[in-house]
Structures are given as C-alpha cells and as structure tokens.
Amino acid sequence: MLCSTPQPAWPPLLPSLELEASVAGSELAYTENVTEKCDVYSFGVLVLELFMGSHPGDLLSSLSPATMNNELCLQDLLDSRLVLPDAGISRDIYLMLTVAVRCLEPSPSRRPTARRVGDELSTIKACEDHVDYLHAGITFPAL
C-alpha cells in the first residue's frame, strides 16, 4: 500500500492584507511595499505580543484616535498568567516596551529607524531607582 504525503495547498495560502496591515503598519495595506518602517512596526507588535501573551491587535484597535491619552500601566499589559516581575526586571520590561510602543506610530516618518531602536535597546542598563514601573504608564500613539 502506498502512503501519500500531503501536498501543499496551491496557490499558497497568504495572510489577508488586513492581517498584514495589523502586523506591518497601515501603509502596507495601501502601498504593498515592505520598508524598514514596516519592519519597525512589526517589531513593536512582536515585542508587545511576547510580553502580553497574545497578539495586541484588539488592544491596538481599542485605542481611541480621538484621545491623546492612550496610557496603560505596565502591569495591565503583562500576561496575567505569569508571576509579576521584580522591580529590576519591571524596569527593563518597561523601557523595552516604551521603545516598542514608539514603533507603532501610525505615521512611518515618525517611527524610529531600526538602528535607533537597536541603539536604545542596547543602552538599557541596570540601575537603582525608586520608580514603581509596574504601575508606570506607557503612552501609545493615537492610532
């Protein structure tokens, strides 16, 4: 008896343009050109997904374009299934997420470059301060 191996679907199944736009920036939906700024947007989505434990699509779509105060505290962003981090780790996560959130700027020209993101992340160093980062606000750009 012959065993058949499953054949890949043809044409290949591609993610919808709407899904791509939610991951790569809204300009991709209009121009279909992948740029460094799309990559930066995708990086921001990926970092949020890692710390939230789920895709941030619902969170991002719930932010109001009418208000400029789209601020959420770090504790509300973190995956609730995990133990809350200590103060030092909270600081590092907070700083990383503030960089990632700037990558979600709707206007590609206002997003940081990939080099800038890398430079900022590489300069996060341990230091002693007395800020409660778990309750510190992270402001999302108006989408």
Side-chain angles (χ1 to χ4, degrees), residues 48 59-74 77 97-98 101-102 104-106 136-143:
L48 274 173
L59 168 70
L60 296 176
S61 63
S62 72
L63 297 175
S64 170
T67 65
M68 294 303 287
N69 189 14
N70 291 318
E71 186 173 281
L72 299 167
C73 75
L74 175 61
L77 288 173
L97 286 178
T98 57
V101 164
R102 287 202 336 274
L104 302 178
E105 179 64 49
I138 296 175
T139 303
F140 286 76
L143 304 176

Side-chain angles (χ1 to χ4, degrees), residues 125-139:
K125 294 182 172 64
C127 74
E128 282 294 315
D129 54 17
H130 302 287
V131 175
D132 180 4
Y133 285 100
L134 277 177
H135 297 96
I138 296 175
T139 303

Side-chain angles (χ1 to χ4, degrees), residues 10-23:
W10 193 258
L13 301 174
L14 297 175
S16 72
L17 203 51
E18 181 180 309
L19 176 61
E20 287 181 32
S22 75
V23 173

Side-chain angles (χ1 to χ4, degrees), residues 15-128:
S16 72
L17 203 51
E18 181 180 309
L19 176 61
E20 287 181 32
S22 75
V23 173
S26 59
E27 70 274 15
L28 182 62
Y30 301 110
T31 66
E32 295 186 20
N33 292 328
V34 178
T35 65
E36 176 194 17
K37 296 299 183 140
C38 290
D39 288 345
V40 166
Y41 188 93
S42 297
F43 173 78
V45 170
L46 177 65
V47 169
L48 274 173
E49 186 168 355
L50 288 171
F51 287 104
M52 291 176 63
S54 61
H55 189 280
D58 290 338
L59 168 70
L60 296 176
S61 63
S62 72
L63 297 175
S64 170
T67 65
M68 294 303 287
N69 189 14
N70 291 318
E71 186 173 281
L72 299 167
C73 75
L74 175 61
Q75 184 174 346
D76 293 338
L77 288 173
L78 296 177
D79 189 339
S80 61
R81 299 170 294 180
L82 302 176
V83 176
L84 290 174
D86 65 27
I89 300 296
S90 295
R91 178 190 174 279
D92 293 347
I93 294 171
Y94 177 86
L95 294 173
M96 185 175 294
L97 286 178
T98 57
V99 172
V101 164
R102 287 202 336 274
C103 295
L104 302 178
E105 179 64 49
S107 171
S109 64
R110 294 179 57 187
R111 289 180 205 145
T113 63
R115 177 178 294 279
R116 177 82 177 153
V117 169
D119 290 346
E120 288 184 29
L121 292 175
S122 68
T123 59
I124 294 175
K125 294 182 172 64
C127 74
E128 282 294 315

